[in-house]
Amino acid sequence: MTAATVGEALVAGLKARGVTCVFGIPGVHTVELYRGLAASGIRHVTPRHEQGAGFMADGYARVSGHPGVAFVITGPGLTNTLTPMAQARADSVPMLVVSGVNASATLGKGYGHLHELPDQHALAKTVALASEHVARPEELEASLDRAFAPFAAGRPGPTHIQIPLDVAGIESQAGLSTQDSAGPPINSAQITEAASRLSKADKVVILAGGGVKSAGEDLQALAENLDAPVVQTVNARGLMHGHPLTVPASPSLQAARELIQDADCVLALGTELGPTDYDMYATGSMAAMAGLIRVDICAEQLARHETDLAIHAHASEAAAALLAALPAAPKQSQGAQRANQTRAAAYEEIGPDYRQQVEVLNAMRDAVLNALMIGDSTQPIYAGNLYFDHDRPGGWFNAATGYGALGYGIPAAIGAAIADPSAHVICIAGDGGAQFSLPEIMAAVDENLPITFVIWNNRGYGEIAISMEAVDVAVVGCDPTPPDFGPAAASFGIPYTRVPMEPQAIAAALRETSKRGTPSILEINITGSVPGQE
């Protein structure tokens, strides 16, 4: 029996750690990494660009809860994937990028080899939580352990492993290690203290971030016990859908700020308190948070904001522990009334244009229940990030916060659909952002995925144009001509529908596309649009 190569051992190590799918484009510098893939049972999905591989891995991770894995070549493969890695880091998404690198003896020499970079390892380190260089076969398993460690303990994000060309194909000498990393233990004294403070407060407000999206039942029970309105960041949307205590509005809105500032105790669960959620209008400040109790998996993150009580723990575990420590009898503090007033004021605050777009989102949600709604940076996504109550926990996410990378929506939707084949996926992209990654739709065709690609077509980068006009800058470069999406859909071999921006027409079209269970394009024509207005 032939001994396994390093590339084969890599694939075996990934499978042993629960990896069932990788996204990648093979090249001459990764051939040896693919040697054991076909026989492993791990699914391989081929994007059309390495950036697509990274965004697919991101969408897959957000929906599955497991790390998304991308295989990319040396040099341009890795540099093309840095943008998705940066988005994943900003949004705490577990992602592993495995790349080749030039032969060991050539590294840093500047000989001009194919795909050569001055220091690829150092470049990856600027974005990755951990970047591993496998210089010898016996280093592989320890490198895998270190690359997977951030996914189990601490705030997750992207990691990277690179294997030189002269190492990937030689015999592996490593054993198999799948050591799990445990998260921080719950500090019972801190939980008792937090429960005491919360039970004594008259007006509690909960801030829910992406770190608590897997604990919806405990969050709801906690909110009901404390009679506390729950303000959700973008990555927490879908929690407590339709509940009287839910506030599915951006904490940047003045209405939400006033609710938070009126509280005498604020409980922040799994939210980094970042400005793209809490200060998107760049005022330079966030709402004052009296008696702030903060729970986060990242100790460094806890230290970045002044906090009355900082609890280093998984937000989901802490929510359950707090619920158990609180008195059984629920508070009576007019929480539902406070939440209702905030919802109404926030909805009014976003203005008529965004309210119209939220009505479109509501129609989409109601047309296809429990769908995954994934977006790029485009107007209805901005509107929804300000105010939208989705009906599926973790089912609303996009790249319009955090790192803010355009081109995210289409490939991320593909990764999401692979993670949950039972769900219909609605991908919302502007005509401008869609042009960043339109060819990736062919990957959805290859995999026959149930995705409706909704193109919000107003012929340009409208939000940028509006921003330029707002400060008296002449609008330049905001009107790239979009393709004709009907013939584009025909070239992909998928159905195409075009509708006006009318909620019921959009809902009817979505119901039809979702019945097919295959990829399709639904174009929303923005009536009266002109170049430069999105």
Side-chain angles (χ1 to χ4, degrees):
M1 182 176 177
T2 304
T5 64
V6 170
E8 290 172 310
L10 167 73
V11 171
L14 294 175
K15 185 172 183 178
R17 290 164 175 82
V19 174
T20 60
C21 182
V22 300
F23 304 90
I25 302 176
V28 295
H29 281 193
T30 53
V31 168
E32 286 297 336
L33 303 186
Y34 278 77
R35 182 176 293 280
L37 196 60
S40 70
I42 294 176
R43 182 178 185 176
H44 183 272
V45 176
T46 307
R48 279 19 182 199
H49 189 279
E50 288 93 357
Q51 187 175 92
F55 286 145
M56 288 179 193
D58 178 300
Y60 176 90
R62 295 194 199 219
V63 173
S64 71
H66 302 294
V69 179
F71 274 17
V72 299
I73 64 167
T74 304
L78 189 279
T79 55
N80 284 338
T81 316
L82 287 175
T83 293
M85 291 172 71
Q87 184 72 49
R89 179 151 186 165
D91 286 347
S92 304
V93 176
M95 175 195 297
L96 171 62
V97 175
V98 180
S99 75
V101 71
N102 289 99
S104 303
T106 72
L107 297 180
K109 302 294 177 58
Y111 292 146
H113 285 280
L114 180 67
H115 303 330
E116 185 176 24
L117 282 167
D119 192 340
Q120 179 176 292
H121 191 205
L123 184 62
K125 283 182 177 180
T126 64
V127 178
L129 295 177
S131 180
E132 296 291 323
H133 176 82
V134 180
R136 296 182 299 277
E138 58 268 26
E139 295 176 359
L140 174 64
E141 290 302 330
S143 292
L144 279 166
D145 282 342
R146 288 191 292 268
F148 273 79
F151 307 149
R155 184 177 290 267
T159 62
H160 169 244
I161 294 175
Q162 67 176 24
I163 303 177
L165 295 178
D166 57 314
V167 174
I170 63 178
E171 182 178 326
S172 171
Q173 302 172 10
L176 189 63
S177 170
T178 57
Q179 295 177 347
D180 292 326
S181 298
I186 291 284
N187 185 316
S188 58
Q190 286 188 319
I191 292 295
T192 299
E193 175 63 20
S196 174
R197 296 186 187 195
L198 289 165
S199 63
K200 292 175 183 176
D202 293 320
K203 290 183 178 181
V204 176
V205 168
I206 298 174
L207 306 179
V212 77
K213 68 182 181 182
S214 64
E217 291 184 4
D218 285 335
L219 175 66
Q220 180 172 318
L222 185 61
E224 290 170 349
N225 181 286
L226 296 169
D227 198 23
V230 179
V231 180
Q232 302 158 13
T233 66
V234 169
N235 287 328
R237 295 295 174 82
L239 293 168
M240 296 175 59
H241 170 64
H243 194 281
L245 290 171
T246 197
V247 181
S250 169
S252 291
L253 291 171
Q254 186 59 32
R257 286 186 172 215
E258 289 176 1
L259 174 71
I260 295 167
Q261 289 175 166
D262 189 48
D264 57 357
C265 187
V266 174
L267 173 61
L269 293 170
T271 172
E272 68 175 1
L273 302 178
T276 56
D277 272 309
Y278 290 84
D279 187 29
M280 66 173 294
Y281 298 113
T283 66
S285 65
M286 295 189 297
M289 300 179 189
L292 177 61
I293 300 170
R294 191 172 179 207
V295 181
D296 202 276
I297 191 62
C298 178
E300 292 179 357
Q301 189 60 248
L302 284 171
R304 289 178 183 142
H305 294 276
E306 187 173 339
T307 305
D308 288 72
L309 178 60
I311 301 175
H312 183 208
H314 285 283
S316 57
E317 295 176 2
L322 282 170
L323 183 62
L326 286 166
K331 282 177 176 288
Q332 300 293 326
S333 61
Q334 298 184 315
Q337 180 180 340
R338 290 186 289 143
N340 184 55
Q341 290 173 344
T342 303
R343 287 193 300 269
Y347 188 68
E348 182 66 23
E349 184 181 339
I350 65 176
D353 289 343
Y354 274 174
R355 285 199 295 272
Q356 185 181 26
Q357 291 159 32
V358 170
E359 289 307 307
V360 169
L361 295 175
N362 289 340
M364 289 182 176
R365 176 199 62 208
D366 296 341
V368 187
L369 300 179
N370 206 39
L372 292 162
M373 296 181 71
I374 296 156
D376 223 313
S377 295
T378 192
Q379 281 189 323
I381 294 299
Y382 297 138
N385 285 351
L386 284 175
Y387 190 101
F388 178 57
D389 188 12
H390 195 39
D391 65 351
R392 173 176 177 146
W396 170 270
F397 59 87
N398 54 76
T401 61
Y403 195 60
L406 266 173
Y408 172 88
I410 290 173
I414 292 168
I418 289 171
D420 184 358
S422 69
H424 191 78
V425 178
I426 300 171
C427 172
I428 305 173
D431 59 288
Q435 292 181 73
F436 277 54
S437 53
L438 195 65
E440 300 297 352
I441 290 178
M442 283 306 299
V445 174
D446 287 346
E447 303 295 328
N448 195 32
L449 300 174
I451 306 173
T452 301
F453 296 98
V454 178
I455 309 297
W456 183 269
N457 190 356
N458 50 26
R459 302 185 64 82
Y461 301 137
E463 285 295 315
I464 305 303
I466 291 169
S467 298
M468 295 173 80
E469 290 169 347
V471 292
D472 296 322
V473 172
V475 177
V476 176
C478 292
D479 56 352
T481 303
D484 189 332
F485 289 101
S491 74
F492 296 145
I494 62 177
Y496 165 81
T497 308
R498 187 183 186 194
V499 296
M501 195 184 74
E502 197 284 311
Q504 295 314 310
I506 294 167
L510 257 182
R511 280 191 288 268
E512 288 303 311
T513 64
S514 66
K515 289 176 184 176
R516 298 188 187 107
T518 59
S520 62
I521 290 178
L522 172 59
E523 180 180 351
I524 299 176
N525 182 43
I526 312 304
T527 303
S529 66
V530 296
Q533 294 185 342
E534 184 175 58

